[in-house]
Amino acid sequence: QVQLVESGGGLVQPGGSLRLSCAASGKISLYTMDWYRQAPGKERELVATITSDSSTNYADSVKGRFTISRDNTKNTVYLRMNSLKLEDTAVYYCRTSMGWNIYWGQGTQVTVSS
């Protein structure tokens, strides 16, 4: 079993930047890690994925603005968010699957507002 703890959310103006972190309680080097987000009244959506060999994939809505990365020595995954827009406001969640088990963090709120 692994626990995921997100941090780094907050209030930022449009055009600003934030870096989210997801710290895992166990080794993550063998696993794909995902960032999801859920805006008020909307379904949770996949934002970015990084595989064990650090291949990445992004939702079209964040391509060119967000960067997912990982530091396996710290068992931590990051989401660097640049050029933030109002529509990026959401709770951001870290997720991984290990075997048959899926693990989620508790989420961190990102609010983009002027």
Side-chain angles (χ1 to χ4, degrees), residues 7-27:
S7 61
L11 175 64
V12 62
Q13 291 185 340
S17 298
L18 283 174
R19 189 181 78 158
L20 307 183
S21 299
C22 169
S25 61
K27 288 177 62 67

Side-chain angles (χ1 to χ4, degrees), residues 35-111:
W35 281 100
Y36 280 74
R37 68 184 180 187
Q38 187 167 19
K42 295 188 176 181
E43 293 189 354
R44 196 170 292 190
E45 62 173 350
L46 179 61
V47 174
T49 294
I50 186 165
T51 65
S52 58
D53 64 357
S54 294
S55 296
T56 59
N57 200 21
Y58 299 92
D60 287 343
S61 58
V62 306
K63 277 182 183 176
R65 300 188 298 120
F66 289 13
T67 302
I68 188 171
S69 60
R70 65 192 301 157
D71 184 343
N72 291 332
T73 66
K74 297 181 179 179
N75 293 315
T76 301
V77 177
Y78 304 97
L79 186 68
R80 176 68 179 181
M81 306 185 296
N82 295 329
S83 302
L84 283 161
K85 303 176 180 180
L86 297 176
E87 53 264 40
D88 294 319
T89 295
V91 179
Y92 284 72
Y93 298 91
C94 184
R95 174 198 180 274
T96 189
S97 61
M98 297 179 175
W100 296 104
N101 298 311
I102 297 174
Y103 300 99
W104 293 89
Q106 83 289 348
T108 186
Q109 176 71 47
V110 172
T111 301

